[in-house]
Amino acid sequence: MKNLPRILKKENYKKIKFKVTKTQHLLLKASINGIKGKFILDTGASTSCVDFSHIEWFLLEAKKSKTQASGAGATGMRTQKAVGNQLQLGNWIDPNFELVIFDLSHVNKALIEHKAKPVHGIIGADI
């Protein structure tokens, strides 16, 4: 395991700072279209997403989507998508990133009930 950092660096993996929340989630900072936000890292989420309430905050162009989202105890949720966004995590940048937009109020409600701060979205396995 001592060689792991060297191996990951050689394979062009990037180091990203994160914090462990009171709810044991991994919290990281990311920028979308140059606007900073707080996100949960959830490799169980297939795609990265942002809450409907932050469309204007991140300068997203929301478009219709036929896809329904599910997770964290909710199913069949209406979604929108936003394509062509710049996502930045640390010094790693994806200049053409697609996000799913849906209602994350149930996630933030659970965080707040456990005395954790709400988030703008989730960074999923697509990263």
Side-chain angles (χ1 to χ4, degrees):
M1 284 305 213
K2 290 181 182 179
N3 295 330
L4 185 59
R6 184 178 50 81
I7 293 167
L8 293 174
K9 187 174 182 177
K10 183 179 176 183
E11 294 294 323
N12 287 323
Y13 280 83
K14 304 293 183 197
K15 189 185 290 189
I16 306 294
K17 292 181 182 181
F18 64 87
K19 292 182 180 181
V20 179
T21 68
K22 293 177 183 180
T23 57
Q24 299 304 303
H25 289 96
L26 301 181
L27 183 71
L28 53 88
K29 294 179 182 177
S31 294
I32 298 173
N33 300 327
I35 311 297
K36 293 180 182 178
K38 294 180 183 175
F39 295 81
I40 290 174
L41 177 62
D42 182 357
T43 58
S46 58
T47 57
S48 298
C49 57
V50 170
D51 186 75
F52 280 126
S53 65
H54 300 301
I55 291 172
E56 290 180 12
W57 174 259
F58 290 115
L59 309 173
L60 302 175
E61 290 186 36
K63 299 181 180 187
K64 292 181 181 179
S65 173
K66 293 181 181 179
T67 304
Q68 290 190 334
S70 61
T75 60
M77 294 183 289
R78 178 179 68 88
T79 67
Q80 291 182 318
K81 64 181 177 178
V83 298
N85 300 288
Q86 178 180 297
L87 174 67
Q88 182 171 356
L89 298 167
N91 62 5
W92 177 84
I93 297 175
D94 184 335
N96 190 26
F97 194 72
E98 183 173 327
L99 289 160
V100 171
I101 306 165
F102 75 107
D103 183 4
L104 290 172
S105 62
H106 62 289
V107 171
N108 281 323
K109 182 179 177 186
L111 290 171
I112 291 167
E113 286 176 2
H114 287 90
K115 311 252 187 284
K117 294 182 179 179
V119 296
H120 295 98
I122 296 170
I123 299 297
D126 52 345
I127 301 295

